[in-house]
Amino acid sequence: MKKFLTLALAIAVMAIGTLTAQAREQIRIVGSSTVYPFASYVAEEFGATTGKPTPVIESTGSGGGHKLFAAGTDLNTPDITNSSRRMKTKEFDKNMAIGNKKIVEIVIGYDGIAIAFNKANPDLNLTRKDLLLAVAAEVPVNGKLVANPYKRWNEINPALPAKPILVYGPPTSSGTRDAFEELVMEKASKKLAGYGKKKYSKIRQDGIYVPAGENDNLIVQKLAKDKNALGIFGYSFLEENSDRIKGAMVDGVKPIPANISSGKYPVSRSLFFYVKVDHLKKVPGLAEYVDMFLSEQMIGTNGLLKDIGLIPLPDADRTAVRTRWTKRQPLTKADLEHK
Amino acid sequence: MNKETRRLSIIKKRYRQENMFKFSAIFAIIIASSFLVFFLANISKTGYTAIQQTEILTEVTYNDATLKNTYRAVPRELSRLLSRGFLRLIPREVKANPELMGTTVTRWIVANAEVDQYMKEKPNRLKSKQIAIIEKLRAEGKIKKTLNTGFFYNGDSKLPEIAGILSAVVGTIYVMFLTMLFSVPIGVMTAVYLEEFAPDNWFTRTIEVNINNLAAIPSIIFGLLGLAIFINIFGVPRSSALAGGLTLALMTLPVIIITTRTALSSVPDNIRQGAQGVGASPWQVVWHHVLPLSLPGILTGSIIGLAQAMGETAPLLIVGMLAYIPEAPTGITDAATVLPAQIYTWSATSLRAYTERTALGIMVLLSVLLMLNAAAVMIRNKFERKW
Amino acid sequence: MEKNIKMKSEALNFYYGDFHALKDINLTFPEKHVTALIGPSGCGKSTYLRCFNRMNDLIKDIKVEGGIYLDSQEIHDPKLDVVELRRRVGMVFQKPNPFPKTIYENIAYAPRIHGLVSKGSEMDDLVESSLIKAGLFDEVKDRLKSQASALSGGQQQRLCIARALAMEPEVLLMDEPASALDPIATQKIEELIYELKERLTVIIVTHNMQQAARVSDYTAFFYMGELVEVGDTSTIFTNPTVKKTEDYITGRFG
Amino acid sequence: MLKVLLYFFIGVLPLCYMAFYLGRKKARTGELESGERFHSRPAQYGWYTVIWMAVPSLVISFIFTILGSSKIFAVPYSMHISTLLVLAAGGLWFSLKNIGSDLKARNFIENTIKVMLVTASLVSIITTIGIVISILFESMKFFSHVNFFDFITGTKWSPDTAFLEGAGRDGSSASKPEFGSVPIFAGTFMVTLIALFVAVPIGLLSAIFMSEYATPKMRGLAKPILEILAGIPTVVYGFFAAITVSPLVVQTAEMLGFEADYTNALSPGLVMGIMIIPFVSSLSDDVINAIPQNLREGSLALGMTRSETMKHVIIPAALPGIISAVLLALSRAIGETMIVVMAAGLRPNLTWNPLEGMTTVTVRIVDALTGDQSFDSLETLSAFGLAFVLLMVTLILNIVSSVVIRKFRKQYD
């Protein structure tokens, strides 16, 4: 009987014991849906070529990603968060408070924001002012702000075609919308006296600007069919559907990688991801994953990510990012405050 | 006589109405069935092409230059037509079989999605030069469509040509197992309590009203519950099979409780009285008589509840199962995805090569669900007892 | 004494699938008389009754052979319309089954849909007269607009009779009309039947021997799907010719 | 720490078996030695021992695990294990000591089982509380910024400033955000209404067909077809609505000279209508069959045709049941997510034209929770505000429908 008792106890203790040996093997990544396709592409390459477990990438949106990232320091929290915008100081503070003292910020490239339309149309050259006046909720008329009366492009600018204005753009929950408002609307409104030289970013809601998801098959169909409609999308979207749609020139610059990369194309933003340095030791493969992401093969001028729509950084910036990474140089609040 | 003719005309009119009514009833059922036929035909038409996958016969050279840049392993004009899913594996292949080094092997290799789309006469982005190469290959018999077995043994991929459903299927199995593990015992126990033991008081009535209300709550709200309670409070890992399984279990619970109660209440009272008459305790009456007799009903209800949970997507999006998970999970706390979530992810991709795969994934999911439901119906018909 | 035959069945055979429920029944029903059908449960008397207004059509998988005549017209004749047949041959069921409508609407429903009256005032009269015929009017005249379900069981049953009478049928089939009622209500129904035979032909199925003796002029005894004996009620109850009838009536089986 | 619980099951099973063995043995030898019959069967004493050993330690372990994973208080691992072992050993010792001729083990087991059953039925209550808490807390945060009344009655949904702050930019220059949920609920009701226009006639007529006109064979064919419609996952319907129905609607509209958005409300509405046909038909079928046969006979005996019987007698009698079926289908349609996420638009739009793009409550919830905004931005929180209202609406619909159906059943039972 005694023997039996000891045996049972031993089994119980052993069973409990195995759990402590369990450590996480997969890299966990969360964050922006814009960075998601690039990150998952690298993750897949990482899994396939190294034989290590493929990182798990969840598309939570930038905000959701930063929330999860700053939820704690333990291994139940993600190692990396992707972001289509820079970390906010508020988010940075939260990280500091919770104990994520060392975070490396990595810029992987640019995402151009393209103004796309049906390929059958002739090329189109829009200025940011045109775009602002087309989608703003209010426009200055005779020095006063009134509800946007424009229904056709040529009412805004006689040089533009006499076609009705119809714009499919990102919804308020999207980072692309954020970038569009900042880079197009605010930049243009600051130069216009009608807006009192102030930033203006309110978008009209009378059905001319239609909020639509970024990866929506229905929107491609719409653009492919409706020759009048414009779509505001990330460059990768344009790239993937280049047989059906093309991008408008903005301020006379074509949305091609060279122009976006060099900064000539005015509507582009940087894409980021943030790594927890403390997790590098605990999660196998994490450093290698970042190494692979930063390799020339991926984000280089002719890298694989370029094929799926990432605009590579200029050479100097790439080197700078790599240096920052190899030194594991942590992000500081000063970095974020200085633009 | 006048009255008589009037009556006759009324009768005629009434029969016309009768026929109209009958016709519209039949018409309704025809509409419903023809929708089903149209729907299934449409999905099959979209999806059947994904059963095949294009392969190209080519020479693969293994040498130092190859290892440096795997695109060099194949003839230059083909390097952009073959799947990167194969090319990037060359270094590992060589590592596993060092004797390959320095050799040249002729073999069939998966073509990339654009070539595949072209071969299936679907829209593609190939340039005319590339099309000429493919036509040449076709003339030489070096390009063919074969059975797309990869669809079933690959996980998700960013490369449509090698994307498959394995990880989603394994994830579904995990999630369903957990859903069953939590919802069936708790559901059956609740039903047994309410049907066999519960006194009629405010407490029991509250529970009953509660269960009815739970059954009507939109599934997405269960997702919010899972996010707030399981993930944020109890620290269950996001996008894990456990988080999904627990959430779906709560969602399935009312279904199982309600069907089990029906099954229990259909057992006639004289069986209970008979058992009590020979001195069985209340629990023994339930355990020895009522439960075994209502087992087919409970089983049917559980299967139907699980089939419902299996097709559910919305709550899983909220608990993070909408993720890129190419590898099958190996534990319940590993990140996992399920078939419906995989279908959703693919359907949101703008690459058109995914459309047919989405449809094929749907066909797989539908067949599984149909089989489950058929099993439930079979159990019901086979064991159903009329008292 | 010569009597006008209102309904009759000739060599009637009835099958539920393979089950031979009625075997070669020949029976006549004289006009303006009450005929009672008696017999043990399952003997086929209800099935037989339901043949007369083709209620059995509702049941799937049945077969009828032989003929049933209403005033010398075969009721299965395709020229005869079943809706019209049922208007002429009314029926009252074992359990009262008023529609979930008001008392007034319950009665007005059939005349309206058959087009028996054209004016509203005529309808009021018809409702009133039907209720009077059914002996219910005094009890409900103040609440014609209230729900029929508010009536007692006996009142509901008389309402159902009134509902049937409103169509001015020639024959009234009654399937154990009092079996779900208490003795006082039963008595009222029986009195009603007695009055009804002045106007129409009544065929009643009953389990209650005394009831058959009280209300009917003729009695037919059924056993195992066969017609055993038929005759004047007084004869059947006092001096049956067949032993089985006697056994049943005296309560030796059944 | 969650794994503690799971692995404990593996460890605890052999221990349980041992306890069972010990308890039974003690009872058996006790009976043999004393020669008297114990109150319960030996195996029941075995179970008695198991309960005493396992239940307290499992409960404590569960509590520790919850405490640990919810970060209230992380019980050190060694303490956790030692508590468990001490509790298990204590329970075992206590129960073995107690086993004797007059110990009522069977009653003890039955009471334990009853407690377990009650606990299980509490899960449903806890779930409800969990739902209310999880939504209420976050929506309180939202409603502390946005007036509930404005939220319910406002006709303008433009979360611009909330968005600016959520994206980390200076929002001082923009106007106040507006969270008027009317356009969103209007979109929801438009889609739902279209769905009901499809589902109610087809579902009701199908039910009538099956209960009135169909031969058993046809019924055997029609019923599974409708059941399959209910079994198709909503994500599949969504794919179908987006890929097939939407372009079809746009083409048809163009042919008729109308203009339709690809994200029109009509396509998800139509597809959702198909989806809820079985809800209407199967419940209506039930209530139509629940109408007593004698009512039907009564009508037919008056010379009614079948359709007249149906229209004037059966349907009015079954109406409460049918209404409750429709209400249930309605609440299902309002809460449906995937079809609208995939096929409806994101544009808050207050219009009567079903060919225009519209957004629905569930779409906004998914969009806000998976978007790029910061988690504490008003727009993200608005998801919970919307969920709160959605929950209330479906609950009210369900309660009304169950009251109606209960009255109906009472009438015919």
Side-chain angles (χ1 to χ4, degrees), chain B residues 217-237:
Chain B
I217 287 176
S219 59
I220 188 165
I221 287 185
F222 280 96
L224 295 178
L225 165 83
L227 177 69
I229 306 288
F230 296 134
I231 295 178
N232 290 348
I233 296 185
F234 291 161
V236 176

Side-chain angles (χ1 to χ4, degrees), chain D residues 23-70:
Chain D
R24 193 178 59 181
K25 188 152 190 218
K26 174 107 193 271
R28 268 190 193 155
T29 44
E31 275 190 344
L32 280 178
E33 280 165 8
S34 65
E36 59 177 325
R37 228 181 106 78
F38 279 19
H39 171 270
S40 311
R41 311 291 313 126
Q44 289 167 335
Y45 288 99
W47 281 111
Y48 172 82
T49 321
V50 171
I51 291 169
W52 266 109
M53 187 205 72
V55 173
S57 44
L58 278 180
V59 169
I60 286 295
S61 168
F62 187 70
I63 293 172
F64 277 9
T65 310
I66 298 288
L67 283 179
S69 51
S70 55

Side-chain angles (χ1 to χ4, degrees), chain C residues 209 221 240 242-254:
Chain C
M209 234 70 71
F221 174 59
V242 183
K243 174 88 169 49
K244 201 161 261 160
T245 317
E246 191 180 345
D247 289 349
Y248 181 71
I249 286 164
T250 51
R252 259 179 233 153
F253 77 95

